[in-house]
Amino acid sequence: MKRFKGSTLLGGALSFALLSFSFLIFYTLYTAQETNLFTQVDSKIYGLLKFTIFQAFLSTVLSVFVGLLLAWALSHQTNFKGRSTLIALFSSSLVLPTLIVVFGIIGIFGRQGYINQISLYFFDTSFGTYLYGLGGILLAHVYLNASFALRSLLHSFEAIPKEKYKLAKSLNFSVLKCFYYVEYPALKSSLLSISSTIFLLCFTSFAVVLLLGGNPSYNTLEVAIYEAVKLDFDIETALKLALIQLSISVVLVVLSSSFKISTSNIKTSNTFIVWKNSKKIQTLQWFIIFVFTIFFISPLIVIFLDGLSANFTKILSDKIFIQSFFTSITLATVSSIITVIAAILLSNTRRNFSLDTRLASNPFSKILNLFIAFSGNIYLAIPSLVLGLGFFMMYQKYDGSFVLWSTFALITANVLMSLPFALAVIAPAMQKIAKRYDKLSFSLGLSTFQRYKEVELPYLKSSIAYVFTLSFCFSLGDLGIIALFGSDEFITLPWYLYQLMGSYNTNDAAGVALILLILVLAVFILIPRIFRSKNA
């Protein structure tokens, strides 16, 4: 116990601080009410809740279906050039700012988008504003979440033993029978965890609904909170909505925590599947790959094409752009460093309570491990607008400058948002290192510093770089809390882009969108390559 005292105390203190913070947010919101409105749910709130759940359910079903189809097709087509690049491109949608994706989708499907322009040119007919409403929300959610499902499911497909395919072939199984008896059992647990995660993400979706909802009948709880604070100045309604959303999110997180989440899905391979399909099935698989590749790539191409026509001299010399650029870079860098440190501390404490060579035999290990795991995932239970409203109420209650509170709120939100993904990468890697080197390190009597320098760091280097990259990209593109705290004196790139879009300054918006896209892709591609370890 003495050997692990330091690391356990550090991680335990951090975990306690995170749980205390989540309680503080709830307490602040609950006590800020003038009357006890928490239990009063009128028809308007019922309608909001009904649509929020409905769109999240449809988005989840469609995203998982598209991800499953694409993963199935790619897992059976392993021998073509550019497959790894294509999968990496799909993976990049995980870090693309939501605002960028929506901008690209509007560029294709919007009123002035390419589809309407082509239709007008050839048939003198416009499809109008069909994008805005449930259809647009579903389209954007599928774009953002189907690739996440694809990556996880593709890994599950590739993990199926070849012997099972050989046996299915010897039994002359059809494609459907092979999927039902061989592939589906291997995917079942992943499907549950992926579906629950996507449902939570869509349930708390903000930027997509704000930009593509179109009218109040397509509002979700998150957007209703934003409108209550920023447009109607109705704090009482915002508090009521936030408490309802917080309660439901906590229940959903607790229910979904029973599903095992796959954390080893960062990399895929070109594993050859011993199952030769008929030409018709192969044609279908190529058709699926082609259609969804076009679907995923076209918004990015549109952003590049539209962005190239922007006046970059004007944009780059604009004081507001310069201010927002450096604010975003600074916040993203600080948030990423804190995220990496927090992920290492929590992962180190978790492995103390889960390994037999450490403290797994302690009777309280399981429950302590559960608390630490939950503390690292509290962002799923406290959506960004709820978190932002909590900070907003604390800013009104306590002294402090607006910029200081805004900075603290954004960094906290960025860290909490990135932490679940950071733990999913760092925790398994640290677990693996401890299993392999604990006995040797203990026998050599290495100090904590020596152990980290000589044993942990060489193996964690690439994981740390990947976590830093993810956190940086998430922080750079978030439009959650800044929607409540954005002002002339505190502005980030996503908020600046949103203002340009809202004022119909599409030319400058296209230029800023292109800059943001290049920045995110450059960071996502280059940083992991620079720090890639030969031992990873």
Side-chain angles (χ1 to χ4, degrees):
M1 176 67 190
K2 189 178 177 182
R3 178 178 285 152
F4 309 110
K5 188 178 177 182
S7 59
T8 303
L9 284 177
L10 279 174
L14 177 61
S15 181
F16 180 75
L18 289 170
L19 293 173
S20 301
F21 172 75
S22 60
F23 176 77
L24 177 64
I25 291 292
F26 176 80
Y27 178 78
T28 302
L29 295 175
Y30 189 76
T31 55
Q33 297 178 106
E34 292 181 1
T35 56
N36 186 14
L37 297 173
F38 184 49
T39 55
Q40 298 175 14
V41 179
D42 54 27
S43 58
K44 183 184 174 184
I45 293 179
Y46 178 73
L48 283 170
L49 187 57
K50 188 177 170 184
F51 179 73
T52 303
I53 294 173
F54 180 64
Q55 64 82 23
F57 173 75
L58 282 183
S59 299
T60 304
V61 171
L62 290 172
S63 299
V64 173
F65 179 70
V66 170
L68 180 62
L69 267 184
L70 199 47
W72 172 73
L74 281 169
S75 68
H76 285 267
Q77 296 299 331
T78 57
N79 192 25
F80 67 91
K81 286 185 178 178
R83 183 178 181 272
S84 300
T85 306
L86 188 62
I87 293 170
L89 188 65
F90 289 142
S91 301
S92 69
S93 69
L94 180 67
V95 297
L96 286 178
T98 307
L99 203 57
I100 294 289
V101 172
V102 172
F103 191 84
I105 287 174
I106 291 173
I108 296 173
F109 302 100
R111 189 181 183 85
Q112 301 299 324
Y114 282 88
I115 290 180
N116 263 333
Q117 295 302 315
I118 291 171
S119 177
L120 277 171
Y121 182 81
F122 286 105
F123 310 108
D124 198 25
T125 303
S126 170
F127 294 107
T129 56
Y130 67 98
L131 178 65
Y132 298 96
L134 180 61
I137 293 171
L138 295 179
L139 193 67
H141 280 166
V142 169
Y143 185 96
L144 289 165
N145 297 309
S147 53
F148 165 69
L150 155 73
R151 191 67 184 229
S152 303
L153 292 172
L154 185 56
H155 182 81
S156 298
F157 270 109
E158 290 174 346
I160 298 172
K162 293 178 183 177
E163 289 71 22
K164 290 193 175 183
Y165 281 108
K166 286 180 181 176
L167 180 62
K169 197 69 181 174
S170 67
L171 294 172
N172 202 25
F173 277 7
S174 64
V175 173
L176 284 177
K177 270 191 172 182
C178 178
F179 179 80
Y180 185 76
Y181 289 108
V182 176
E183 295 170 333
Y184 176 69
L187 303 174
K188 199 162 71 173
S189 61
S190 296
L191 283 172
L192 285 173
S193 65
I194 292 165
S195 300
S196 62
T197 303
I198 292 177
F199 184 87
L200 273 168
L201 292 174
C202 296
F203 182 79
T204 56
S205 175
F206 170 66
V208 166
V209 182
L210 179 68
L211 292 163
L212 296 177
N215 63 66
S217 61
Y218 296 110
N219 274 1
T220 58
L221 287 171
E222 286 270 292
V223 174
I225 293 170
Y226 167 76
E227 291 185 348
V229 176
K230 295 288 278 190
L231 304 181
D232 304 329
F233 306 105
D234 186 353
I235 300 298
E236 281 296 303
T237 300
L239 287 169
K240 189 198 309 185
L241 294 171
L243 286 167
I244 290 171
Q245 171 130 9
L246 185 60
S247 305
I248 295 172
S249 297
V250 169
V251 172
L252 289 174
V253 169
V254 171
L255 289 176
S256 63
S257 63
S258 60
F259 303 136
K260 186 180 178 182
I261 298 175
S262 172
T263 55
S264 57
N265 51 22
I266 305 303
K267 295 178 181 178
T268 60
S269 65
N270 291 324
T271 305
F272 176 71
I273 292 181
V274 191
W275 180 274
K276 190 167 177 61
N277 290 299
S278 65
K279 284 191 176 179
K280 283 184 180 178
I281 296 298
Q282 288 191 44
T283 304
L284 175 64
Q285 289 165 349
W286 281 115
F287 177 75
I288 291 169
I289 294 171
F290 175 76
V291 168
F292 289 122
T293 300
I294 296 296
F295 173 67
F296 281 106
I297 289 177
S298 52
L300 304 183
I301 294 174
V302 166
I303 292 169
F304 269 101
L305 293 177
D306 290 349
L308 289 176
S309 62
N311 185 348
F312 285 102
T313 306
K314 178 190 168 193
I315 293 172
L316 295 175
S317 60
D318 187 346
K319 288 183 180 177
I320 301 177
F321 171 79
I322 295 170
Q323 181 193 348
S324 62
F325 179 84
F326 283 106
T327 302
S328 291
I329 295 292
T330 305
L331 289 174
T333 304
V334 174
S335 304
S336 305
I337 292 170
I338 296 174
T339 301
V340 169
I341 295 170
I344 290 174
L345 290 177
L346 291 176
S347 300
N348 197 21
T349 306
R350 283 198 68 185
R351 69 178 176 178
N352 284 347
F353 291 123
S354 58
L355 291 176
D356 293 333
T357 52
R358 300 195 173 200
L359 307 173
S361 56
N362 188 298
F364 299 105
S365 288
K366 283 188 178 178
I367 190 152
L368 289 173
N369 211 353
L370 188 65
F371 273 112
I372 293 167
F374 184 77
S375 68
N377 290 282
I378 58 172
Y379 185 80
L380 295 174
I382 308 176
S384 60
L385 262 290
V386 176
L387 188 64
L389 186 59
F391 273 111
F392 188 76
M393 300 311 297
M394 284 192 272
Y395 160 67
Q396 291 194 327
K397 190 174 179 180
Y398 304 107
D399 291 333
S401 73
F402 178 76
V403 172
L404 190 65
W405 272 102
S406 304
T407 305
F408 184 58
L410 253 72
I411 289 177
T412 306
N414 290 340
V415 172
L416 294 181
M417 174 175 58
S418 308
L419 207 47
F421 297 93
L423 288 172
V425 176
I426 296 282
M430 292 190 75
Q431 193 95 349
K432 189 176 174 184
I433 293 168
K435 282 181 181 174
R436 186 180 296 178
Y437 295 106
D438 260 2
K439 289 181 180 175
L440 179 63
S441 301
F442 299 154
S443 66
L444 292 173
L446 295 179
S447 66
T448 305
F449 177 75
Q450 287 174 321
R451 180 186 168 98
Y452 269 99
K453 184 185 174 187
E454 305 297 336
V455 180
E456 309 267 4
L457 194 57
Y459 285 90
L460 282 179
K461 200 162 59 176
S462 60
S463 297
I464 289 173
Y466 186 70
V467 165
F468 182 91
T469 304
L470 279 181
S471 177
F472 190 91
C473 294
F474 288 157
S475 306
L476 201 61
D478 185 51
L479 188 68
I481 283 191
I482 191 64
L484 292 180
F485 284 89
S487 67
D488 291 340
E489 54 183 326
F490 189 78
I491 186 168
T492 62
L493 270 181
W495 184 244
Y496 179 52
L497 176 57
Y498 176 70
Q499 287 186 320
L500 290 174
M501 291 169 70
S503 59
Y504 299 102
N505 191 349
T506 51
N507 198 36
D508 285 355
V512 174
L514 180 57
I515 291 170
L516 194 54
L517 177 63
I518 291 173
L519 191 59
V520 168
L521 290 180
V523 169
F524 184 67
I525 293 169
L526 293 179
I527 289 184
R529 287 191 178 185
I530 292 171
F531 289 93
R532 187 167 293 160
S533 166
K534 291 179 181 178
N535 298 319

